[in-house]
Structures are given as structure tokens and as C-alpha cells.
Amino acid sequence: MLAKLMSFLLLGIVRFLTGSQARWYGCPPKAEQRIYFANHQSHADMVLIWAALPEELRSITRPIAAKDYWTKTPFRQWITTAVFNAVYVDRQATPARPVAPVAAEPTGAPATPSDADMAAAGGPDPSPEAPPRAPTPEELRSALPESDPLAPLVRALESGDSIVIFPEGTRGHGDEPQSFKSGLFKLAQMFPQVVLVPAWINNVQRVMPKGEVVPVPILCSVTFGAPIQLEAGEERRPFLDRARRAVIALREV
């Protein structure tokens, strides 16, 4: 009950200070499993995007929270756990165990006579070996060590939750997001069925500038764009650059 009351109170404060306008430009608000990925300029980003979501989506969407910052005091930890239902992440990366490609299983019955016999007799060349099979999403998830910063996000997605992430990893200070880190790409590989929705958070850094304690009332908005997906065979950097451009494009909408 206390958490619910605090949720209503925070929602009122955030909407009073920022307006927390949600602009659904490329997709409607829909109760499906999603990964929302947005630019990151303030610790208040998590709060603003939470407040901008409709109530039915807030209940199934978990923002990520930097563990070192949001557990610094008991009150912060209680807010992020009981009110936001946030997923804590450590900002120190631990390399995942490499997943070796799996050799493709042979298909069909063995040739008679053997390929080697036919080649020796001047027949057709032996069949080339099938290329290694790419690891499945399940294999990628099982190879992720529990100490990896992505592990809590993987558990949240496996349980059916939607999540909000900030692929820059740390707060930016320019007009455009910094280069995206690899987390979004890895999650897209592990959960190809989850919808990837870009979002642009506008003006929140002016509400709570770095180092300030008292927020300033400024009209803010969150613009949600058209979903993207990881294409077959798409490499990490081209995908991350494309995802970053999808976020930046919403700035002018």
C-alpha cells in the first residue's frame, strides 16, 4: 500500500515538474513484450520514461537502474525496488564465455558409394562440409555468466517483462547520444521475438542538471518511434549505429 501511494505521489510530482508527455509516433502503446531503448542524459531519465508510459504498460515494464547510484541510500533502494520495480545493473562489465559455433548435423542418408570413393574413381568432388551453425538464442543466454551486467536483464526478459535500457551506458552531455555499447545487440540476439522500440527523451537534463539537488519545472517529452529488428546476418556495429540513428531521428519529430 505504501509503495502504491508513493507511486501516485511521484507520478503527480513528475507530471507537475515535467508534463511527462508521451508521443507515440511510430507505434501505439501496446501490452506486448518490448525493449525500449533511449538516449541518456540524467538519472531522472528512468523516472521520466516510467511516468510517460500508460498505467497498463508501467506495470509490465521495468527500467534499468545503475546499482551503485540507486542503492546508495535505503530510500533510493526502496523507491527503485518497490515503486519502479527496476532492474539493477552493475556498470563494470564482465566478459561472457564465448559460444563456439555448432557444427551442422548431416542431413540425409550416407551416399553409396562414399564421397571419397567417388572422388578417387574420377566421379564428382566430395560434398563440402556444412558451415558451422550459429548458436541459438537459448545457447547464447546459457553462456552468459551470472556476473555479467546483462544477466539481470536477461532474467527479466525471460520472465516476460518489458525493459527500458540506455545503450550509451553512461550519461551523455552533447546534443546527440554517444556511441551505443553492445548490450542492445546481445539482447536482440538472445530475444529475437521481443519488439525493439527507440525513444527520445527531451529536456530532462534541464530539469535536474548534473550536480543540482532542486529540480526545475521544464516541459519534457518522450517520443516513441517505429520498432526496429536485428536483421539476419547483421553485424554488431552496423546494428548499433542503425539503432542510434533511430533514436536521433525522433529528436526532430
Side-chain angles (χ1 to χ4, degrees):
M1 178 61 72
L2 182 59
K4 196 171 186 64
L5 290 174
M6 179 59 73
S7 175
F8 287 135
L9 177 62
L10 277 177
L11 193 60
I13 292 173
V14 172
R15 288 184 172 172
F16 171 75
L17 289 173
T18 69
S20 62
Q21 298 177 333
R23 305 169 64 203
W24 297 91
Y25 175 74
C27 64
K30 186 178 180 181
E32 62 184 0
Q33 192 175 25
R34 292 175 168 180
I35 297 175
Y36 299 95
F37 59 97
N39 57 313
H40 189 28
Q41 294 191 325
S42 167
H43 285 302
D45 291 337
M46 178 189 74
V47 182
L48 182 65
I49 204 166
W50 169 83
L53 290 172
E55 182 178 359
E56 63 273 17
L57 297 190
R58 282 200 306 274
S59 63
I60 60 173
T61 303
R62 304 181 65 186
I64 70 166
K67 189 174 182 179
D68 60 318
Y69 177 82
W70 287 103
T71 61
K72 191 170 290 186
T73 67
F75 180 70
R76 284 184 192 174
Q77 185 167 355
W78 179 78
I79 284 286
T80 48
T81 302
V83 178
F84 300 134
N85 191 24
V87 182
Y88 290 125
V89 293
D90 288 308
R91 293 192 272 193
Q92 297 299 320
T94 301
R97 299 193 305 270
V99 182
V102 182
E105 296 181 1
T107 58
T112 305
S114 71
D115 284 343
D117 292 339
M118 293 179 67
D125 291 336
S127 301
E129 292 185 5
R133 174 177 62 79
T136 66
E138 292 76 15
E139 290 166 343
L140 290 171
R141 296 200 295 267
S142 65
L144 194 73
E146 196 61 28
S147 58
D148 192 283
L150 286 181
L153 305 184
V154 169
R155 290 196 299 269
L157 290 167
E158 284 179 330
S159 69
D161 293 324
S162 295
I163 60 174
V164 180
I165 69 172
F166 304 101
E168 296 169 77
T170 57
R171 288 177 292 167
H173 303 288
D175 293 333
E176 294 187 351
Q178 302 173 88
S179 179
F180 281 7
K181 296 185 177 179
S182 61
L184 178 62
F185 175 74
K186 293 178 180 177
L187 293 175
Q189 285 183 310
M190 295 179 193
F191 298 92
Q193 79 284 2
V194 176
V195 180
L196 307 176
V197 178
W200 177 264
I201 303 174
N202 187 49
N203 259 354
V204 70
Q205 74 277 10
R206 296 172 60 192
V207 175
M208 183 68 77
K210 188 174 182 179
E212 296 296 327
V213 177
V214 180
V216 179
I218 295 286
L219 188 63
C220 301
S221 64
V222 182
T223 303
F224 298 93
I228 68 169
Q229 63 181 9
L230 177 63
E231 303 294 344
E234 189 172 17
E235 297 294 331
R236 177 178 62 89
R237 182 44 55 190
F239 168 77
L240 293 173
D241 289 344
R242 183 164 62 88
R244 179 176 175 272
R245 290 194 299 271
V247 170
I248 294 174
L250 299 173
R251 180 179 57 182
E252 305 301 330
V253 172

